[in-house]
Amino acid sequence: MEDPTNLFHQYQVDYSLDDLNFQSFSSESYSSYNPNFVPENPQNLSNNTPLEPPQTEFERPAKQLKTNSWNSCTTNNNGQISAKGSPSASSSQLISFEKYANSASATPDNKHYNNLEGSVIMKPKYEPGLNGYNMVFQSSCEAQICSPNYGQVLKRAVGSMSRSPLHAQDHVIAERKRRQKLSQRFIALSAVVPGLKKMDKASVLGDAIKHIKNLQERLNTLEEQAAKKTVESVVFVKRSQLSGDDETSSSDQPLSEIEARVSGKDVLIRIHCEKHKGCLTNILNQIEKLHLTIVNCSILPFGGSTNHITIVAQKDVEYSMKVKDLVRNLRQALLKIN
Amino acid sequence: MEDPTNLFHQYQVDYSLDDLNFQSFSSESYSSYNPNFVPENPQNLSNNTPLEPPQTEFERPAKQLKTNSWNSCTTNNNGQISAKGSPSASSSQLISFEKYANSASATPDNKHYNNLEGSVIMKPKYEPGLNGYNMVFQSSCEAQICSPNYGQVLKRAVGSMSRSPLHAQDHVIAERKRRQKLSQRFIALSAVVPGLKKMDKASVLGDAIKHIKNLQERLNTLEEQAAKKTVESVVFVKRSQLSGDDETSSSDQPLSEIEARVSGKDVLIRIHCEKHKGCLTNILNQIEKLHLTIVNCSILPFGGSTNHITIVAQKDVEYSMKVKDLVRNLRQALLKIN
DNA sequence: CAATCCACGTGAAGAC
DNA sequence: GTCTTCACGTGGATTG
């Protein structure tokens, strides 16, 4: 049997679960009933101060109480683990996957029939205070009474093959380990999902899915908006650098200049143009046609024949326009006016 | 027993699992062995064309083959489900939680002893071709031979209480439903986590945790950058354009730009700078020190962290100043302010 | 009570 | 062959 720690250690590092007290994972007591179990050092499993001392870990096998195995470990809204009785407000819910996996008191488990190690196939009697698998069996009616070769009778009785009784123990242990790994990752997942109210496995999964979708969506919008904005700024600079860029650059254009800059949804438009009748209203009309909502406007007469117009507008949410196109549209509108 | 669809339908809508063929979830055949089961319409569970026709769904209980229940459903790197034999490259892994839950062939399950419905507690014989729980039992050695009250003997034999045999069926069914829900969410989770190579439950959880952390981190960095960097980039580039007037171009000057133009006695000053306490009054003080009389002033907050200030002033008659010097003076004054 | 959740042991079956 | 993963049925525990 191999060392079961290598799988866990990886995730304790990668997912920074060190601050979690995996109380349910102290598998060094396997060797008490499995003699050929490789003992492991428990400190690479939780290498920090445990939140609470593990209560008298006797044997591994158990299905005990449900709560209090993970108490005083809540998740706050930032997805961080606030340990040790955190008074974080809303979510005082307790995480308790793999409940009481190694507390005291004996095993009310070993259900069904454990045909292992040549022991008589019997129903285990609930006998608190006993250790592990060395338990008291009581002879019930489903006891195996008609065959003396204990572990093998089930194996061939149904016609299908079963495990050899030697490896059956390993199978149980491996399965336990697998369950522990899953439970740990459930806890780790619930740690990185903020604001989950229920701590069920299904709810954790559901909220994790919801959270991932939410994050992905926000990230997409933010990322494309960031990419667009850098391009826009470049375009904007190139445009502002020279007064008349490209197409309409050449000719007659009178002393009217347009500058626009964008920050998020806000657009600042600055126009310096000749005085004209209906100049401002025409400009505002053109701007509003471009799916912009004007939130501020000031016009300053300057120098006797020109106006200096400053406009702050906001882009409509569903409409996005490049600064270049915005300036071009405004310029063409202004050309028609003049 | 309540309708088990309400829970699933929610997630089929919310998480857009519609394009997934939950082959393992056709619980309408419960009623064959559970007479008081509420039949449900299966079309609100998977309301689109299934990827492949469900192969002859007989009964629910089964643990059959491992693969091919979710074949031709892979996840590409975008977290989308590419259905029906997608030739997407690297990951030809199959999702197969809840494997073959309702395919043909009988049940090699019903392990242990199913003390339900007053049937004799026996080991089920593997008999392919039979339906569900109406299976053939063979009398093995662990048969319950010494008590005629079938379901109750186990219950009180061990001293601990168990379920009544009537509700034991419901317990089995409820547990099945719970497992199905979990499996569905596992599949849904694996659908929204891109680039996962292994399809284990543990790996899905681990990669989901990793993905959430990665998304959260990227979102944080991107979000904090989005506020200031866009404005910074715009202003920064704009500054290079403005530094056409040589001299002070080199310095560390923060993101503020000054533009001035003169027409006769009128001076139009436009300043785009960061928000600052007393920003406007300081600027106006500096302007008035330059023998300018302010006749109009407007300040527009823009983009959350900057102000766009437009000032119209008039030169005092006896004082004449070049635009260049005016800008330089204003810039130095603004530097002292910032 | 009933409903729900969980860990357990176990056989089956794919993956190495 | 061994190893791993899975779903299953089941009892215990909690919750309402």
Side-chain angles (χ1 to χ4, degrees):
Chain A
M1 190 170 175
E2 75 284 5
D3 193 2
T5 64
N6 45 5
L7 277 171
F8 292 85
H9 190 56
Q10 165 193 355
Y11 276 88
Q12 291 224 351
V13 172
D14 290 355
Y15 301 142
S16 73
L17 293 172
D18 314 342
D19 44 358
L20 285 176
N21 177 23
F22 289 123
Q23 203 177 29
S24 61
F25 187 67
S26 68
S27 44
E28 67 273 8
S29 56
Y30 279 150
S31 53
S32 60
Y33 64 94
N34 186 9
N36 48 0
F37 182 79
V38 179
E40 52 194 334
N41 45 351
Q43 56 263 25
N44 59 352
L45 301 173
S46 68
N47 44 6
N48 58 351
T49 66
L51 300 181
E52 48 187 300
Q55 53 262 41
T56 67
E57 353 183 342
F58 279 178
E59 296 299 354
R60 185 56 209 306
K63 183 198 300 180
Q64 273 99 347
L65 289 173
K66 207 170 185 181
T67 52
N68 258 339
S69 164
W70 269 89
N71 53 1
S72 67
C73 256
T74 64
T75 62
N76 53 18
N77 294 340
N78 292 329
Q80 305 292 338
I81 302 293
S82 64
K84 195 56 183 177
S86 70
S88 77
S90 60
S91 138
S92 66
Q93 201 98 9
L94 306 181
I95 328 176
S96 78
F97 301 122
E98 195 99 14
K99 313 154 184 177
Y100 261 25
N102 54 354
S103 75
S105 88
T107 73
D109 220 341
N110 280 339
K111 288 169 293 195
H112 320 320
Y113 26 75
N114 53 352
N115 47 353
L116 304 175
E117 302 285 350
S119 63
V120 186
I121 309 303
M122 285 178 178
K123 197 69 180 180
K125 180 184 176 183
Y126 191 103
E127 188 81 12
L130 288 176
N131 293 351
Y133 285 105
N134 304 323
M135 45 173 37
V136 175
F137 294 93
Q138 86 164 7
S139 174
S140 74
C141 291
E142 68 273 21
Q144 191 173 8
I145 55 174
C146 50
S147 175
N149 53 348
Y150 305 116
Q152 303 284 346
V153 55
L154 263 179
K155 206 172 72 179
R156 298 300 166 207
V158 292
S160 72
M161 81 111 195
S162 171
R163 245 164 295 275
S164 80
L166 284 162
H167 296 15
Q169 279 262 31
D170 297 347
H171 183 35
V172 171
I173 293 173
E175 184 63 21
R176 246 197 306 247
K177 196 160 65 177
R178 176 181 163 270
R179 276 195 303 262
Q180 282 185 348
K181 185 163 72 176
L182 276 176
S183 294
Q184 277 203 246
R185 303 210 175 163
F186 262 104
I187 297 168
L189 180 64
S190 65
V192 299
V193 174
L196 42 87
K197 203 167 69 78
K198 303 268 289 180
M199 274 310 198
D200 305 334
K201 286 182 174 180
S203 302
V204 167
L205 284 183
D207 289 336
I209 296 167
K210 219 181 296 183
H211 188 234
I212 286 179
K213 289 204 167 187
N214 182 25
L215 284 185
Q216 195 71 261
E217 190 177 354
R218 284 201 295 165
L219 201 74
N220 283 344
T221 60
L222 213 64
E223 226 161 21
E224 84 175 47
Q225 161 179 336
K228 190 182 296 180
K229 197 165 285 181
T230 56
V231 175
E232 279 183 357
S233 69
V234 170
V235 171
F236 163 71
V237 182
K238 193 167 72 176
R239 190 223 139 259
S240 67
Q241 216 161 334
L242 53 122
S243 57
D245 67 316
D246 38 71
E247 59 264 56
T248 64
S249 62
S250 58
S251 60
D252 45 3
Q253 189 155 1
L255 33 108
S256 73
E257 60 182 82
I258 308 175
E259 175 187 323
R261 71 179 68 194
V262 181
S263 170
K265 289 163 56 179
D266 292 344
V267 181
L268 188 132
I269 301 165
R270 191 174 56 80
I271 300 173
H272 198 95
C273 64
E274 285 185 330
K275 279 180 181 171
H276 241 285
K277 189 166 184 63
C279 170
L280 181 62
T281 54
N282 278 323
I283 288 173
L284 294 185
N285 285 334
Q286 292 297 324
I287 287 174
E288 286 191 334
K289 282 179 186 171
L290 299 175
H291 299 272
L292 294 173
T293 303
I294 296 168
V295 297
N296 201 316
C297 169
S298 87
I299 174 167
L300 293 176
F302 177 66
S305 66
T306 58
N307 278 330
H308 189 87
I309 303 173
T310 309
I311 298 165
V312 174
Q314 282 186 339
K315 288 192 279 192
D316 293 348
V317 278
E318 74 276 7
Y319 192 84
S320 85
M321 175 190 262
K322 290 193 169 64
V323 186
K324 197 174 180 178
D325 300 331
L326 178 63
V327 172
R328 187 188 307 143
N329 287 332
L330 278 176
R331 173 168 301 168
Q332 289 183 356
L334 212 64
L335 272 178
K336 282 188 288 188
I337 293 170
N338 289 341
Chain B
M1 188 169 175
E2 74 283 5
D3 192 1
T5 66
N6 44 7
L7 276 172
F8 293 86
H9 190 56
Q10 163 193 356
Y11 276 89
Q12 292 224 350
V13 172
D14 289 354
Y15 302 140
S16 73
L17 295 172
D18 315 343
D19 44 358
L20 286 177
N21 177 23
F22 290 122
Q23 204 177 26
S24 62
F25 186 67
S26 68
S27 45
E28 67 273 9
S29 55
Y30 280 150
S31 54
S32 60
Y33 65 93
N34 186 10
N36 48 0
F37 183 80
V38 179
E40 53 194 333
N41 44 353
Q43 57 265 23
N44 58 354
L45 301 174
S46 69
N47 43 6
N48 58 350
T49 65
L51 301 180
E52 48 188 301
Q55 52 261 43
T56 66
E57 356 180 341
F58 278 176
E59 295 300 358
R60 186 56 209 309
K63 183 200 298 181
Q64 274 97 346
L65 288 175
K66 207 169 186 181
T67 51
N68 257 340
S69 163
W70 269 90
N71 54 359
S72 67
C73 256
T74 65
T75 62
N76 53 17
N77 295 340
N78 292 328
Q80 306 291 336
I81 302 293
S82 64
K84 197 52 183 176
S86 72
S88 75
S90 60
S91 135
S92 65
Q93 202 98 10
L94 305 180
I95 328 177
S96 79
F97 302 119
E98 195 101 12
K99 313 155 183 179
Y100 261 25
N102 56 352
S103 74
S105 85
T107 71
D109 219 340
N110 279 337
K111 288 169 295 196
H112 320 318
Y113 25 76
N114 54 351
N115 45 352
L116 304 176
E117 299 286 347
S119 64
V120 187
I121 309 304
M122 286 177 179
K123 196 71 181 179
K125 180 186 175 184
Y126 191 104
E127 188 81 12
L130 287 176
N131 296 351
Y133 286 104
N134 305 321
M135 44 170 42
V136 175
F137 294 94
Q138 87 164 7
S139 174
S140 74
C141 289
E142 67 274 19
Q144 192 174 10
I145 54 174
C146 50
S147 176
N149 51 348
Y150 306 113
Q152 303 284 346
V153 55
L154 264 179
K155 205 173 73 178
R156 297 302 165 206
V158 292
S160 72
M161 79 112 195
S162 172
R163 249 162 290 272
S164 82
L166 283 160
H167 297 12
Q169 279 262 33
D170 298 347
H171 184 33
V172 170
I173 295 172
E175 185 63 22
R176 253 202 296 254
K177 196 161 65 176
R178 175 179 164 272
R179 273 195 304 261
Q180 282 184 348
K181 185 163 72 176
L182 275 177
S183 294
Q184 278 205 244
R185 303 211 175 165
F186 262 105
I187 296 168
L189 181 64
S190 64
V192 298
V193 175
L196 44 88
K197 204 167 69 76
K198 304 266 290 180
M199 276 308 199
D200 306 334
K201 287 182 173 180
S203 300
V204 167
L205 284 182
D207 289 337
I209 296 168
K210 219 183 296 184
H211 189 231
I212 286 179
K213 290 202 167 187
N214 182 24
L215 284 185
Q216 195 70 262
E217 191 177 353
R218 283 201 296 165
L219 201 72
N220 284 343
T221 60
L222 210 63
E223 224 162 23
E224 83 176 47
Q225 280 181 359
K228 69 173 65 172
K229 200 168 200 176
T230 57
V231 181
E232 276 184 1
S233 70
V234 170
V235 173
F236 165 72
V237 192
K238 186 63 198 308
R239 265 200 63 247
S240 66
Q241 171 257 343
L242 150 115
S243 67
D245 42 358
D246 35 74
E247 60 265 53
T248 62
S249 61
S250 60
S251 68
D252 51 351
Q253 188 154 3
L255 29 112
S256 69
E257 52 180 295
I258 307 174
E259 177 186 323
R261 69 180 69 199
V262 179
S263 171
K265 289 162 57 177
D266 291 343
V267 180
L268 187 131
I269 302 164
R270 190 175 55 79
I271 301 173
H272 197 97
C273 64
E274 281 187 331
K275 278 180 182 170
H276 244 285
K277 189 165 185 66
C279 171
L280 181 62
T281 55
N282 279 322
I283 289 172
L284 296 184
N285 285 334
Q286 292 296 326
I287 288 174
E288 285 191 334
K289 280 181 187 171
L290 298 175
H291 302 272
L292 293 173
T293 302
I294 296 167
V295 297
N296 198 316
C297 169
S298 88
I299 175 167
L300 293 176
F302 176 66
S305 65
T306 57
N307 279 328
H308 191 86
I309 303 173
T310 310
I311 299 166
V312 174
Q314 283 186 342
K315 286 191 280 190
D316 293 349
V317 277
E318 73 279 7
Y319 193 84
S320 100
M321 179 192 257
K322 287 195 170 65
V323 187
K324 202 174 182 176
D325 300 330
L326 177 61
V327 171
R328 188 191 306 146
N329 286 334
L330 278 177
R331 176 169 300 169
Q332 288 182 354
L334 211 64
L335 269 178
K336 282 186 287 187
I337 294 168
N338 291 341

